Amino acid sequence: MRHNKAINHLGRKSAHRKALLSNMASSLILEKRITTTVAKAKALKCYVEPLITKSKDDSTHSRRVVFSYLKSKEAVSELFRNVAPKIADRPGGYTRVLHVGFRQGDAAEMALIELVDFNEAAAADVKAARKTTRRSRAKKAEETVAAEAEAPKAE
């Protein structure tokens, strides 16, 4: 029985699993999005999110700790230089897993895992959704600005 055993072993020995997750995390940080199976994407999310949280503190110790997991200088420098400043104010939830269908060969369920703040298309959708409200505050603001602009002309 697997009661209270949270980790997904992914059908691999521990060394193989650690190498797999390390390589996938490096690819995710460098490429900003990767396509993989749903099980691997969920395991990767649990693996990479603490590393991204650790990157908020740019110290030698945190760099060494992250390097011990990623084993790639390029990925560590990308994480601390480009990713960490962009997610500095986010309290968590740095990755998004989107289901994309089934793989042709073996019908495995596939997923796209991406860093949330690096998806420009989703960010544009969020900004567009924020602009539309139930009440039209923008029209009222434009009317008051227009009224103030016309008032000095009348004097």
Side-chain angles (χ1 to χ4, degrees), residues 61-74:
H61 177 67
S62 61
R63 279 182 181 261
R64 286 178 177 166
V65 169
V66 170
F67 181 75
S68 73
Y69 284 93
L70 293 182
K71 314 267 190 307
S72 168
K73 287 183 182 179
E74 295 82 16

Side-chain angles (χ1 to χ4, degrees), residues 12 35-38 40 100-111:
R12 290 160 171 82
T35 304
T36 183
T37 62
V38 173
K40 288 179 189 172
V100 294
F102 297 93
R103 188 161 52 198
Q104 184 70 32
D106 60 353
E109 193 173 1
M110 300 298 286

Side-chain angles (χ1 to χ4, degrees), residues 28 32-34 94-98 112-119 122:
L28 177 65
K32 308 302 187 261
R33 70 172 54 169
I34 57 173
Y94 312 112
T95 57
R96 175 186 298 128
V97 177
L98 300 169
L112 180 98
I113 182 167
E114 63 184 4
L115 296 176
V116 172
D117 292 326
F118 289 88
N119 186 351

Side-chain angles (χ1 to χ4, degrees), residues 12-119:
R12 290 160 171 82
K13 303 282 183 173
S14 63
H16 187 186
R17 186 172 54 251
K18 287 174 188 174
L20 171 83
L21 291 173
S22 174
N23 288 330
M24 287 178 64
S26 296
S27 297
L28 177 65
I29 290 167
L30 293 173
E31 303 294 325
K32 308 302 187 261
R33 70 172 54 169
I34 57 173
T35 304
T36 183
T37 62
V38 173
K40 288 179 189 172
K42 288 179 180 179
L44 179 61
K45 185 172 188 164
C46 295
Y47 185 85
V48 78
E49 290 210 359
L51 299 179
I52 296 173
T53 302
K54 184 69 92 172
S55 73
K56 288 182 178 182
D57 175 33
D58 190 4
S59 65
T60 305
H61 177 67
S62 61
R63 279 182 181 261
R64 286 178 177 166
V65 169
V66 170
F67 181 75
S68 73
Y69 284 93
L70 293 182
K71 314 267 190 307
S72 168
K73 287 183 182 179
E74 295 82 16
V76 171
S77 61
E78 175 74 16
L79 178 63
F80 279 88
R81 285 189 191 140
N82 299 334
V83 176
K86 209 162 186 184
I87 54 97
D89 57 341
R90 183 177 286 275
Y94 312 112
T95 57
R96 175 186 298 128
V97 177
L98 300 169
H99 297 255
V100 294
F102 297 93
R103 188 161 52 198
Q104 184 70 32
D106 60 353
E109 193 173 1
M110 300 298 286
L112 180 98
I113 182 167
E114 63 184 4
L115 296 176
V116 172
D117 292 326
F118 289 88
N119 186 351

